[in-house]
Amino acid sequence: MEGGISFWQALTLSSILGWVVASSWFDLTKRIRSLAQPWVTRRVLADTPSILWLQASHIASSMRHGSLDCIFSVLSCFVSVPFYTGFLPIVYWSGHRKLARQMTLLMAFCDYIGNSMKDVVSAPRPSCPPVTRVITTNDERGNAMEFGLPSSHCLNTVCLLGYMLHHFLTHGAKMDAVIPVGFLGLACLLIILIGIGRMYLGMHSLIDVVAGIIFGLVILALWLMIHEHVDDFIASGQNVTSFWASLSFLLCFAYPTPEFPTPSFEYHAAFNGVAFGLVGGIHRHLHPQDGGNPSLFSGLPVVVFLGRLSVGIPTILVVKVCSKGAAKWLLPVMCNTLGVPITSSCYVPALKVSQGSTSKSERKQPGCLLKPPSGFPRKAYDVDTGIRFLQYAGLAWSAVAFVPALFSHLNL
């Protein structure tokens, strides 16, 4: 049975609540933005000639509509959030369960910190024109609607590649000293190529890329100090589910309000849900082999692995759809019962509001589903936030709890 709340849990939640209240009362987001945004904007403008030179250089001009566009676009896709969303369940099902859950939580942390910084600073991306912006996927089209600093691709790559390298060097089989050096060199080369690619595609300026790498190194260093404590907590701690639910709730309020709405908060809501579903699934359905650290090249028989993929991927997609459908029905009913005013920007047509009927300040802003205490802003909340949260929570829970149970039942 779970006991009372511990000191560090109370301190964490009270600190976030204190930030929310202080930020609301003293308008801290706008104060920070007024200091940071002008300087960053000047740097973005100053970096524009470098991007134009990169796009118009001899190598680029001779390959402009061919190899380089393809190489950098594919490279961006391979380090994007959708890629990791599909990649991490596969890592989990292949037997690297501790690595997969740690990387998922780290990615949720990176996503929240990176997108919060984007919306606090609200700095522009390189102007298009004169810069040419190469957009080849819907994911990139959504990224282009966000603010610039820092580059999420660079930040995520530094953190996740660095953590993966640390994990296998720490827990993997003994190897020649040359191999770790080679892996580190390849990781650095990939980070540099991604940074150059983000500039070449017109998505980021040099200051965005440098900030993404620096913030990524800081977050990685912090995560390496706490990751074992986090893993021990979600595996065998007290008040795990209730603490994480409270944390997720407060993080919605703590998220900064941008200068104008962007998709960044939607991405945070999705990964906030992923983290909650993963933590709940791990804590309640921990498998005996979850604590193991298989070596880099150990794995399942190919037939078993392919069987797991053929069962697991369709299952989590079905659970995701079902979770979304249930949330679209349940949350409006709950909010109406509690008297909480809600709107919907996408998922519930009956709750949509026309753009002309609301002022700029009343358009979709980050929020949550329950009435806030005094001190929080009173307004109609976007129910899509809760729907998105539960949709991705269901997906993550199914990946770490329901699907492994199916594997056991099917002897996979």
Side-chain angles (χ1 to χ4, degrees):
M1 179 183 297
E2 296 188 347
I5 187 170
S6 66
F7 172 76
W8 74 266
Q9 292 174 349
L11 179 64
T12 300
L13 297 179
S14 60
S15 298
I16 297 174
L17 180 61
W19 162 259
V20 173
V21 175
S23 179
S24 177
W25 284 354
F26 300 108
D27 213 358
L28 296 180
T29 297
K30 287 186 178 179
R31 292 176 184 270
I32 297 172
R33 183 179 300 142
S34 66
L35 296 174
Q37 187 188 64
W39 182 85
V40 175
T41 301
R42 287 195 298 270
R43 291 306 314 162
V44 171
L45 293 175
D47 290 340
T48 300
S50 300
I51 300 174
L52 292 174
W53 174 85
L54 184 65
Q55 293 184 334
S57 64
H58 174 71
I59 296 177
S61 61
S62 64
M63 305 174 69
R64 178 71 205 150
H65 299 291
S67 301
L68 286 184
D69 281 8
C70 180
I71 290 171
F72 286 129
S73 295
V74 170
L75 196 59
S76 294
C77 290
F78 272 109
V79 295
S80 64
V81 169
F83 169 77
Y84 284 114
T85 302
F87 172 70
L88 292 175
I90 295 174
V91 175
Y92 190 86
W93 299 335
S94 69
H96 300 278
R97 290 177 169 175
K98 184 173 182 178
L99 172 63
R101 64 179 181 250
Q102 284 289 308
M103 288 183 65
T104 303
L105 293 177
L106 175 57
M107 185 158 209
F109 186 41
C110 290
D111 181 81
Y112 188 85
I113 298 299
N115 285 338
S116 293
M117 288 189 293
K118 284 178 186 287
D119 285 348
V120 166
V121 179
S122 294
R125 292 179 183 267
S127 298
C128 175
V131 170
T132 302
R133 189 162 293 156
V134 181
I135 298 176
T136 58
T137 65
N138 289 331
D139 181 55
E140 283 286 74
R141 191 168 290 107
N143 290 337
M145 296 171 63
E146 297 180 288
F147 293 110
L149 183 138
S151 167
S152 296
H153 283 73
C154 292
L155 191 156
N156 291 339
T157 302
V158 169
C159 285
L160 297 177
L161 201 60
Y163 185 78
M164 185 183 295
L165 186 61
H166 168 270
H167 177 87
F168 285 119
L169 292 180
T170 303
H171 301 292
K174 297 294 182 181
M175 58 184 70
D176 207 342
V178 177
I179 297 179
V181 174
F183 283 159
L184 180 61
L186 288 174
C188 292
L189 177 61
L190 180 60
I191 292 168
I192 292 172
L193 287 175
I194 288 169
I196 294 174
R198 300 310 289 165
M199 295 176 61
Y200 173 85
L201 296 174
M203 298 295 291
H204 285 288
S205 59
L206 180 61
I207 186 64
D208 301 336
V209 170
V210 172
I213 293 173
I214 292 174
F215 285 128
L217 291 172
V218 172
I219 293 173
L220 176 61
L222 174 62
W223 189 255
L224 291 178
M225 290 190 291
I226 66 173
H227 69 116
E228 291 293 349
H229 301 291
V230 172
D231 202 68
D232 291 341
F233 171 66
I234 65 174
S236 57
Q238 294 184 330
N239 305 300
V240 175
T241 304
S242 57
F243 168 77
W244 215 277
S246 302
L247 179 66
S248 300
F249 179 84
L250 287 176
L251 286 177
C252 287
F253 278 121
Y255 192 89
T257 301
E259 193 170 41
F260 55 83
T262 71
S264 296
F265 182 75
E266 299 175 6
Y267 300 150
H268 149 67
F271 262 95
N272 201 3
V274 166
F276 178 72
L278 180 140
V279 168
I282 291 294
H283 183 64
R284 296 296 182 183
H285 304 87
L286 188 68
H287 297 270
Q289 64 270 42
D290 277 0
N293 295 298
S295 63
L296 177 59
F297 299 107
S298 66
L300 301 168
V302 174
V303 175
V304 174
F305 181 66
L306 293 177
R308 288 189 171 191
L309 291 185
S310 64
V311 171
I313 292 177
T315 300
I316 63 174
L317 293 177
V318 169
V319 172
K320 179 184 175 183
V321 172
C322 293
S323 299
K324 181 179 180 180
K328 286 170 64 177
W329 173 81
L330 180 62
L331 290 182
V333 172
M334 290 178 57
C335 292
N336 290 334
T337 302
L338 296 172
V340 180
I342 55 175
T343 62
S344 174
S345 57
C346 179
Y347 292 149
V348 186
L351 296 175
K352 286 185 179 180
V353 293
S354 63
Q355 290 291 334
S357 65
T358 59
S359 65
K360 182 178 179 180
S361 62
E362 292 172 330
R363 292 177 188 172
K364 182 181 130 182
Q365 295 292 346
C368 57
L369 300 177
L370 301 180
K371 276 187 176 179
S374 59
F376 288 92
R378 301 263 180 181
K379 59 186 176 182
Y381 295 100
D382 190 351
V383 75
D384 291 5
T385 298
I387 294 172
R388 189 174 292 108
F389 177 89
L390 293 178
Q391 173 186 7
Y392 283 90
L395 182 149
W397 173 84
S398 66
V400 301
F402 182 61
V403 170
L406 281 181
F407 293 160
S408 298
H409 180 72
L410 298 173
N411 295 321
L412 288 175

